Amino acid sequence: MADGTPNLTSAPNKPLRGGASGFNRTPGVREMREYPVTSRELWTLGGLQASSALTLSLAGWLFGFWLNAKQALDLADRKTIPATALAQWEAYANLAWWGALGIGILGFLLMGLVGLNVWGIIKDTRHGP
């Protein structure tokens, strides 16, 4: 251009030598494969991801509650606190531990289902020559 800046719109797009990927790279052009997704697949993936996030958040909250309850029980003065109260909080802590473990496993299973759905979409898609 007249002010010394290059005119990018008229610059020729010369392909660059491809790397290990086998793609010929062209400046300003991004070559990629497309994977069409139906609305049902999109809602399924979104629902699984939201469920996974929710269950893992709940598992984290329960784990934090368990840590706090265990710490409180370890620091509790056993001479002044009734045994029934200590047993009740011990039960709460155990429930929180097993709940965090079970719900956390469920969250990771849901994450795996998301991956399996994406893998299925990739495997079901055929690309031309």
Side-chain angles (χ1 to χ4, degrees):
M1 300 195 115
D3 63 354
T5 59
N7 184 357
L8 297 178
T9 58
S10 65
N13 288 336
K14 294 181 182 176
L16 302 173
R17 191 182 72 155
S21 66
F23 289 112
N24 289 327
R25 294 178 309 227
T26 305
V29 177
R30 185 172 175 190
E31 187 175 327
M32 66 181 77
R33 293 183 176 200
E34 296 176 347
Y35 297 95
V37 179
T38 65
S39 129
R40 179 173 297 213
E41 290 168 335
L42 192 60
W43 279 101
T44 300
L45 289 173
L48 286 172
Q49 289 173 341
S51 300
S52 175
L54 182 67
T55 55
L56 290 174
S57 296
L58 181 59
W61 182 83
L62 284 171
F63 184 73
F65 180 84
W66 173 76
L67 283 175
N68 286 329
K70 288 306 264 183
Q71 180 184 27
L73 285 169
D74 289 342
L75 297 175
D77 185 8
R78 304 214 178 253
K79 295 176 186 173
T80 58
I81 299 175
T84 56
L86 291 172
Q88 182 179 9
W89 277 100
E90 188 70 38
Y92 290 157
N94 289 336
L95 187 64
W97 166 253
W98 291 109
L101 187 65
I103 293 173
I105 289 171
L106 176 63
F108 284 114
L109 287 174
L110 289 169
M111 281 176 57
L113 281 175
V114 170
L116 285 174
N117 275 316
V118 170
W119 183 73
I121 292 168
I122 291 171
K123 294 295 278 182
D124 289 345
T125 304
R126 302 217 189 311
H127 296 284

